[in-house]
Amino acid sequence: MVIWDIQLRLTHPTLKANITFDHPIVAIMGPSGSGKTSLARCLVGLLRAESSRIAIGDTILEDTERGILIPPDQRGIGYVPQNDLLMPHLSVRDNLTLSPHSMEGGGGVTLEQAIEALELGPLLSRRPSVLSGGERRRVAMGRALLSARRALVLDEPLTGLDDRLRNEVLRYLQRLLHDFPRPTLLITHRADEATALATHGALMEGGVVHETGGIPHVLNNFPGSTDGTMSIMEGTVIATPGSCERDTTTISVGVTHWVATSSIIFREGSTVRIFLDADDVILATSRPTGVSARNVLSVRVVGLELIGGAAIVHLSPDDPQCVFKARITAQSAARFALKIGDEVFALVKSHALRIR
Amino acid sequence: MVYSVVVISLKVAIAASALCLLIGIPLARLMAHRRGFPFRILRVITSLPLILPPTVVGWFLLTVFSSRRPVGQWLESIGFPLVFDWKGAALAAFAGSLPMFLGPVVTAFESVDPNLPAFARTLGLSRIRVFLKVTLPLAAPGIWSGLALAFARSLGDFGASLVVAGNIPQSTQTLSMAIYDAIHDSNESAAWGLIAVSVAIAVAALLIADRQGRRTW
């Protein structure tokens, strides 16, 4: 069943989207200025597109052809805008209860549950001006949750926070989406946020939605993004530290086994994502011996891009599930005379793999 | 005599301030952020009482509300006469104080971050509730200073009130009219007494407005 159906066309600012998802938690990714916020404003009804069709589940919020336009106050979309927009004249409690739906538990969340989940209790009588960045973000999330009868739209919910606070707010957000599930659209310019929260997504650039699908697929098909050198693969944990006296986690991606070290112990059989930076991959033209790297894979060159002085080599052991990238200098690529179809060996240290 | 003068003055100033709130707030909200031609005309019209001699403003009001005119006749028929009545003085004071009220209040509405009321709509609030719960409280400090100015201005209204309501002791005579009479009659002690009362009322009003108008966020 389609959960998100977003068809938008707008000239100023440029916005073109044709997205449908049958997954509840999706991420819209793209560099800043790519029109992600305009998309969010269209969804919540604060920006009107020239032609549009927006439906969440079986509720049509906008359909220019059929003359349907639900005003923002009746959409039931909880919205966390980029700069929080807490009401400065109201206490935290009054900010949370500003929505008329907050008291009736409209979105299946009561005020008490929201306060508890986001640990807002000690802040209730404070004014927004005395809150820290992370606290403000939590209040904004609670307020959105309490008005989110139908869906949640989060616009860069972790931007502007330092690393420690980002991780803290991310944990709250993960818990929120887990405890109070509802269709959620996350807007972010960071691949790690998208992978941590969403399963599927779309990429935007210049106001246009390019690529949609599962997060790994989307990120791997976007060489222009800041994460263009990050490979993401989905796999199954087949051995964990402790079993057979190992200190590493083994993950099978298709027929390929990756050996990684991880501080988190995953359950055997659980599905995880592997993140691999192209700079952490060494290429060899013949099988090397006597190396410390735990991953030595026989792979084929399936793609080759030259960006400046570097070559991004797309590699795969003839398995579409397992595709990753290596960045080498253009000089090395020329020395090896690399071309698509060549067989090479890829060396990756177990420490270079990050698992989530 | 002092008692009735103070009561009438307060009645006039309170009624004029109430009219400012009732008519001035929607008007200020309408004028904020608007630069089109009709709004420039509106700005000029509402500022006129500030520039015109008060007697002219009084004359305009007298012309419209006199018992010889349809509006005046109708008001008299429903028992709400304005001419030679303290309510006429209140109307004249209102006309004079509206531009003083609009100045800070328009600025206050313009200084409200437009993203806040827009965002509040997504929480499920109707336009009117957004205005009452977000825009109005955020503009409140400016509204308080506008109210203080309007009250102080109404308290001292003289020319326009005199033309519309006359200077009838115990009925329409306000502080400023009584002071004028006292000066005219060379009754210096009465003049000083009335001046002291009007200064006290004005200072008290400004102090209250200053306290209320402070931003608490």
Side-chain angles (χ1 to χ4, degrees):
Chain A
M1 184 200 153
V2 173
I3 294 177
W4 294 94
D5 179 8
I6 306 167
Q7 319 291 329
L8 290 168
R9 201 169 47 74
L10 183 63
T11 323
H12 296 289
T14 306
L15 195 58
K16 223 168 94 187
N18 293 289
I19 325 170
T20 52
F21 287 112
D22 38 17
H23 299 84
I25 302 180
V26 298
I28 304 291
M29 290 164 280
S32 46
S34 57
K36 303 186 301 289
T37 294
S38 299
L39 179 78
R41 290 174 59 84
C42 280
L43 283 179
V44 298
L46 294 180
L47 182 66
R48 200 173 295 178
E50 282 144 21
S51 91
S52 59
R53 192 193 131 78
I54 300 173
I56 299 175
D58 45 18
T59 313
I60 299 169
L61 299 176
E62 256 183 72
D63 193 335
T64 35
E65 264 176 40
R66 289 157 67 184
I68 300 173
L69 185 73
I70 308 277
D73 55 324
Q74 283 156 40
R75 295 200 174 193
I77 300 181
Y79 178 34
V80 178
Q82 234 180 90
N83 36 5
D84 303 331
L85 293 179
L86 298 181
M87 300 299 160
H89 60 297
L90 298 177
S91 67
V92 168
R93 175 185 286 279
D94 291 344
N95 264 287
L96 291 173
T97 55
L98 188 57
S99 163
H101 310 297
S102 60
M103 285 321 219
E104 57 207 49
V109 188
T110 63
L111 181 61
E112 288 68 33
Q113 283 175 320
I115 290 170
E116 200 200 308
L118 290 157
E119 295 179 47
L120 297 173
L123 311 177
L124 287 176
S125 58
R126 294 193 202 158
R127 284 277 165 86
S129 57
V130 299
L131 299 180
S132 72
E135 289 169 339
R136 292 174 62 89
R137 209 52 63 87
R138 271 152 57 199
V139 176
M141 283 171 4
R143 182 180 61 174
L145 186 71
L146 286 165
S147 66
R149 285 170 301 146
R150 200 160 279 134
L152 257 180
V153 171
L154 312 165
D155 190 356
E156 302 276 8
L158 304 171
T159 301
L161 303 173
D162 63 40
D163 281 350
R164 190 183 55 81
L165 275 180
R166 261 191 77 229
N167 286 329
E168 186 192 303
V169 176
L170 181 65
R171 271 203 310 280
Y172 281 110
L173 203 49
Q174 281 174 319
R175 187 165 146 200
L176 221 61
L177 297 183
H178 179 263
D179 291 356
F180 312 106
R182 65 203 58 220
T184 300
L185 187 131
L186 168 79
I187 283 174
T188 177
H189 67 279
R190 294 182 59 143
D192 55 348
E193 287 173 19
T195 44
L197 295 166
T199 56
H200 289 71
L203 272 166
M204 275 191 95
E205 215 184 7
V208 183
V209 172
H210 282 296
E211 191 79 41
T212 63
I215 297 277
H217 165 81
V218 169
L219 288 178
N220 283 331
N221 282 285
F222 194 54
S225 86
T226 48
D227 303 276
T229 58
M230 183 68 77
S231 304
I232 302 166
M233 292 164 280
E234 214 161 62
T236 312
V237 175
I238 54 171
T240 54
S243 59
C244 316
E245 288 178 25
R246 289 163 191 278
D247 55 352
T248 54
T249 305
T250 309
I251 300 133
S252 85
V253 177
V255 291
T256 310
H257 288 187
W258 289 94
V259 177
T261 50
S262 163
S263 54
I264 308 169
I265 297 178
F266 292 90
R267 223 167 2 93
E268 275 180 39
S270 58
T271 305
V272 293
R273 295 195 190 116
I274 304 175
F275 295 76
L276 174 58
D277 194 309
D279 285 333
D280 291 331
V281 182
I282 297 171
L283 292 186
T285 46
S286 56
R287 180 178 282 277
T289 52
V291 288
S292 67
R294 301 286 292 268
N295 299 286
V296 179
L297 304 172
S298 168
V299 290
R300 199 183 290 280
V301 176
V302 294
L304 193 59
E305 300 168 62
L306 287 171
I307 298 170
I312 307 285
V313 189
H314 296 241
L315 304 159
S316 173
D318 289 330
D319 175 5
Q321 272 191 66
C322 180
V323 183
F324 59 99
K325 287 170 260 184
R327 174 150 62 187
I328 57 175
T329 59
Q331 240 175 346
S332 299
R335 190 155 49 90
F336 288 166
L338 277 184
K339 56 186 188 301
I340 291 173
D342 281 358
E343 274 184 47
V344 290
F345 291 89
L347 283 73
V348 179
K349 294 165 70 126
S350 61
H351 277 292
L353 293 167
R354 280 191 293 129
I355 328 171
R356 228 186 234 127
Chain B
M1 178 268 215
V2 176
Y3 177 72
S4 83
V5 163
V6 171
V7 169
I8 291 165
S9 286
L10 284 177
K11 275 203 306 198
V12 167
I14 290 169
S17 308
L19 281 174
C20 275
L21 288 177
L22 218 62
I23 295 167
I25 287 179
L27 206 58
R29 177 68 195 83
L30 192 73
M31 287 159 72
H33 301 295
R34 300 256 167 77
R35 297 283 174 268
F37 185 69
F39 294 97
R40 268 160 54 205
I41 295 293
L42 189 64
R43 226 174 287 271
V44 169
I45 292 174
T46 53
S47 308
L48 270 182
L50 215 57
I51 323 289
L52 290 173
T55 42
V56 174
V57 176
W59 173 252
F60 277 134
L61 294 173
L62 194 60
T63 313
V64 176
F65 295 104
S66 132
S67 57
R68 290 193 303 264
R69 304 277 173 166
V71 180
Q73 272 167 10
W74 176 73
L75 282 170
E76 212 153 290
S77 73
I78 61 162
F80 204 85
L82 290 178
V83 176
F84 297 118
D85 192 283
W86 73 268
K87 295 192 274 298
L91 187 70
F94 161 68
S97 54
L98 185 64
M100 315 279 282
F101 180 78
L102 286 179
V105 179
V106 169
T107 311
F109 280 126
E110 285 181 343
S111 66
V112 172
D113 176 357
N115 289 313
L116 290 172
F119 169 79
R121 296 269 286 142
T122 71
L123 293 175
L125 297 166
S126 62
R127 279 178 199 283
I128 182 78
R129 282 174 90 171
V130 167
F131 181 73
L132 294 175
K133 292 187 148 189
V134 178
T135 314
L136 203 57
L138 286 172
I143 294 174
W144 276 105
S145 35
L147 192 63
L149 285 175
F151 183 83
R153 172 69 176 73
S154 320
L155 201 64
D157 194 63
F158 183 70
S161 305
L162 190 66
V163 172
V164 179
N167 181 2
I168 311 165
Q170 317 275 334
S171 166
T172 65
Q173 190 178 55
T174 60
L175 270 166
S176 46
M177 293 175 196
I179 293 169
Y180 175 79
D181 278 359
I183 295 168
H184 204 255
D185 300 343
S186 305
N187 187 347
E188 208 169 300
S189 62
W192 275 118
L194 291 164
I195 287 167
V197 172
S198 58
V199 168
I201 296 174
V203 167
L206 293 172
L207 280 178
I208 292 172
D210 182 59
R211 191 189 144 82
Q212 293 294 323
R214 233 171 275 157
R215 264 170 63 145
T216 49
W217 59 85

